[in-house]
Amino acid sequence: RKSFRTVIFAVLIIMRISCVKSLFPVLSVAVVFLYMSSVKWEIQTQEKHELKFKKKIAEENSLKEKNEKKPAKKLFPNSYLFKQWTVELSEDDQRKAEDLFQKYGYNAFLSDQLPLDRELPDTRDHRCIGREYPHNLPTLSVVLIYLDEALSVIQRAICSIINRTPAVFIHILLQICSFSFRAEPLLARIQAERTLVLSPVFDSVNYYDLQVTKYLASAHGFDWALWCIYVGFPQKWYDQNDSSQPGKSPSVMGILVVDRLFFGEIGTLDGGMEVYGGENVELGIRVWLCGGSIEIVPCSKIAHIERAHKPYMPDLRNVMKRNALRVAEVWMDEYKINVNIAWGLPIQNHGIDIGDVSERKKLREKLHCKPFKWYLENVYPELNPMHLLGYGVLINDLQTRLCLDKGPFEENTPILYPCHFMESQVISLLPSLLCIFKLNRCLIDPGSGRFPELSWSLLGKMLILVCFQGQAIQNRETKRCLEISADQTGKYEKNVFLQDCRNQHWKIQNIIQDL
């Protein structure tokens, strides 16, 4: 187009030079008309290009905006992390978050984005705030072990300890687990009584969003399987109406403060324990039996991440069982059979290697420790010994591969199920009662209908084991028996029935007393 205008100007100049005066005006008008036409055409063409370009940009922006607003596909709908943590993440970030969750058992992806010195809410009792403590408190060595922890969690824990503990009290800072606490309330109690073992109150850090959930002060206990549970303080703690005061506890859940010399005197931790579980219960029992005591200190708080799973061992039952049996063998005297019962093991010859306990038994003799009966009567009376006639799975002689099972939890009807010898099939046999162990649901004859029920309440008519092992299970009032039936093909149904007795026999796995 530029060259076309150049030609027109050249023609005009030549015409002017050639003195073609008669034709110049006419030709000049024609040339000018051509020039103006070319300019108009150029403008129209430019406008078309600009309009096309704007339309393209608008389409690209619209598509970009649409893509940005479109949520990413949910890649892990069944993940325990994403069931609780409902944020919008790209697919790449979802993969990173899920990989880290499987590796650590908590939301390490989110942890890596949080500041190392993040603020935590002060969930202590209001009476703790501003309380004064002695200035000459002992120094503190922080020694906590961690395993498979995200680096950001470890770094945040270190920052938390340093920021919340006056530097004058920190003597040694070793390997750190995910926690933070106030040192002064604990140190003041240790200074007052060196034989105390203390624990702060735990607040829970959610594994999915790392937010803090306040927990109320409670004592630390355990069941006969030695799984840790929260229990109430002695009544006199509640009578004082001051929830900021320390309270006595039967055990400790693993994070503790203790005088270093006293800890050595009573034998530190049992080095024969493996991996996880039981070592804290063993310490709690030993402290009480051998001259010390345990307290929970509400004015000291810990924010502790509770993992969704232990990445180093998904199933802890076998190692917990082994450690529990070791504790029972050393410390529980005649009450150790309750641990066997809790795990569904024979009272004699359970067949599990608990390691050498000779040195721990010598330690008990050396320290002149009290018997376990004293602990049950004076420290933890809530841990009632189980006075059972028998326990374990219950099998009908007609089908020895099937066991009585509690069935779906939301239902109250027991069923037959292939024997797996785990919790839902472990029956405890008391005089006149058959109960699913640990769940406290007992087998009853409701008085009508064909099916027995598992009831939380014992207002129904209980099934009574008649005579000896290997006999019928009969309700003496209704005269109906617990029995199984086969269908027309000879295959046994999953249901168990209450019906007229047909001389069917049942056996329970372990017998404690003759029936």
Side-chain angles (χ1 to χ4, degrees):
R1 292 189 294 270
K2 289 183 178 179
S3 45
F4 179 71
R5 290 196 296 269
T6 302
V7 170
I8 291 175
F9 281 118
V11 170
L12 286 172
I13 292 171
I14 292 170
M15 288 170 57
R16 184 67 174 173
I17 293 173
S18 302
C19 296
V20 188
K21 295 181 179 179
S22 59
L23 296 176
F24 182 76
V26 176
L27 291 175
S28 296
V29 171
V31 171
V32 169
F33 176 78
L34 290 173
Y35 173 76
M36 293 301 295
S37 297
S38 70
V39 171
K40 183 178 179 181
W41 176 81
E42 182 179 356
I43 292 173
Q44 290 175 341
T45 303
Q46 183 68 22
E47 287 177 348
K48 287 181 180 179
H49 280 292
E50 289 180 356
L51 184 62
K52 186 176 180 180
F53 179 75
K54 288 179 180 179
K55 185 177 180 181
K56 181 180 179 181
I57 293 297
E59 289 175 350
E60 290 177 353
N61 289 337
S62 176
L63 182 62
K64 183 179 179 182
E65 185 178 351
K66 184 177 179 181
N67 289 336
E68 288 177 351
K69 290 182 178 180
K70 183 180 179 181
K73 181 181 178 182
K74 302 297 183 183
L75 300 181
F76 307 99
N78 296 321
S79 166
Y80 283 110
L81 173 61
F82 288 106
K83 282 182 179 180
Q84 300 285 348
W85 192 45
T86 57
V87 297
E88 292 294 335
L89 294 178
S90 68
E91 293 185 7
D92 284 344
D93 283 347
Q94 288 182 60
R95 293 187 185 94
K96 292 176 185 176
E98 180 65 15
D99 287 345
L100 290 172
F101 174 65
Q102 293 301 327
K103 183 176 181 180
Y104 296 113
Y106 49 74
N107 194 343
F109 178 85
L110 176 60
S111 175
D112 292 344
Q113 301 175 52
L114 295 176
L116 296 182
D117 59 346
R118 74 161 177 158
E119 289 294 323
L120 293 176
D122 191 341
T123 61
R124 296 174 297 163
D125 187 281
H126 67 92
R127 285 163 286 204
C128 298
I129 302 170
R131 184 170 289 175
E132 295 184 359
Y133 300 95
H135 295 291
N136 60 336
L137 292 173
T139 56
L140 175 72
S141 296
V142 181
V143 186
L144 288 179
I145 299 169
Y146 63 86
L147 179 62
D148 291 340
E149 297 282 5
L151 178 61
S152 58
V153 168
I154 300 172
Q155 292 172 325
R156 192 175 299 108
I158 294 173
C159 289
S160 184
I161 292 172
I162 293 174
N163 292 343
R164 289 169 172 79
T165 307
V168 67
F169 295 141
I170 297 183
H171 177 58
I172 300 174
L173 182 61
L174 294 182
Q175 299 183 22
I176 306 300
C177 184
S178 167
F179 86 114
S180 61
F181 63 89
R182 295 292 298 179
E184 297 94 333
L186 300 165
L187 294 177
R189 291 296 296 146
I190 292 290
Q191 187 181 57
E193 177 51 67
R194 67 180 296 268
T195 62
L196 283 172
V197 173
L198 306 175
S199 174
V201 173
F202 298 172
D203 282 341
S204 174
V205 178
N206 301 332
Y207 70 84
Y208 48 92
D209 62 5
L210 304 185
Q211 294 299 306
V212 176
T213 300
K214 178 182 177 179
Y215 276 13
L216 298 177
S218 298
H220 299 170
F222 53 90
D223 60 19
W224 282 110
L226 271 58
W227 287 104
C228 296
I229 56 176
Y230 286 113
V231 296
F233 289 114
Q235 184 57 43
K236 63 181 180 181
W237 184 83
Y238 299 98
D239 293 341
Q240 65 187 346
N241 199 29
D242 184 354
S243 58
S244 70
Q245 294 299 323
K248 295 296 183 183
S249 176
S251 187
V252 64
M253 284 194 179
I255 298 177
L256 56 95
V257 174
V258 61
D259 179 272
R260 179 173 57 86
L261 295 179
F262 175 68
F263 193 45
E265 291 166 8
I266 63 169
T268 63
L269 292 175
D270 181 358
M273 294 294 198
E274 292 183 353
V275 186
Y276 176 92
E279 77 286 344
N280 54 316
V281 174
E282 190 273 346
L283 176 64
I285 295 171
R286 175 159 40 99
V287 166
W288 278 106
L289 295 183
C290 305
S293 59
I294 297 174
E295 287 183 356
I296 308 300
V297 183
C299 282
S300 180
K301 279 269 189 156
I302 281 180
H304 175 259
I305 299 177
E306 296 187 358
R307 301 192 202 227
H309 61 269
K310 300 290 191 292
Y312 48 84
M313 184 170 283
D315 188 351
L316 295 168
R317 285 173 297 184
N318 286 336
V319 71
M320 271 291 303
K321 183 191 306 180
R322 181 259 181 204
N323 289 348
L325 292 169
R326 181 179 175 88
V327 176
E329 182 62 32
V330 177
W331 297 103
M332 292 187 173
D333 306 326
E334 69 271 23
Y335 297 93
K336 66 184 180 182
I337 67 169
N338 290 274
V339 177
N340 294 52
I341 294 171
W343 286 102
L345 299 171
I347 293 176
Q348 303 294 335
N349 303 320
H350 52 66
I352 297 175
D353 182 8
I354 63 172
D356 183 9
V357 296
S358 59
E359 291 301 318
R360 303 310 288 182
K361 289 186 174 181
K362 288 179 182 177
L363 175 68
R364 182 176 180 178
E365 294 177 4
K366 174 185 174 182
L367 297 175
H368 305 290
C369 302
K370 298 180 178 69
F372 191 71
K373 182 179 181 182
W374 177 90
Y375 178 84
L376 290 178
E377 292 174 348
N378 296 276
V379 179
Y380 198 9
E382 297 83 1
L383 188 66
N384 294 315
M386 294 177 283
H387 301 293
L388 304 180
L389 302 178
Y391 64 95
V393 297
L394 191 65
I395 300 175
N396 190 294
D397 284 350
L398 294 179
Q399 183 49 266
T400 57
R401 298 177 62 183
L402 300 178
C403 290
L404 190 71
D405 191 284
K406 73 173 183 61
F409 186 80
E410 63 275 8
E411 299 180 12
N412 294 319
T413 305
I415 62 173
L416 285 180
Y417 196 80
C419 296
H420 54 64
F421 303 93
M422 297 175 67
E423 185 174 294
S424 66
Q425 295 181 349
V426 177
I427 304 292
S428 58
L429 171 59
L430 293 80
S432 79
L433 282 178
L434 281 170
C435 300
I436 296 290
F437 183 67
K438 289 184 73 172
L439 299 177
N440 296 321
R441 300 170 73 187
C442 296
L443 201 65
I444 67 167
D445 179 351
S448 63
R450 295 188 63 203
F451 302 109
E453 294 180 1
L454 287 169
S455 176
W456 302 102
S457 170
L458 299 183
L459 297 178
K461 300 180 183 298
M462 269 63 74
L463 290 168
I464 300 174
L465 187 68
V466 176
C467 297
F468 304 101
Q469 169 81 318
Q471 298 297 315
I473 298 178
Q474 184 183 42
N475 185 310
R476 285 200 176 105
E477 294 186 21
T478 67
K479 303 302 181 182
R480 301 199 298 177
C481 285
L482 182 72
E483 296 192 343
I484 65 176
S485 295
D487 59 22
Q488 294 180 349
T489 66
K491 182 178 179 181
Y492 281 92
E493 301 180 41
K494 73 172 185 178
N495 297 103
V496 290
F497 305 97
L498 289 168
Q499 56 194 20
D500 293 338
C501 299
R502 302 175 185 176
N503 200 31
Q504 291 188 16
H505 299 158
W506 295 82
K507 288 183 180 179
I508 197 164
Q509 187 180 6
N510 301 296
I511 294 295
I512 300 174
Q513 303 177 31
D514 289 338
L515 305 179

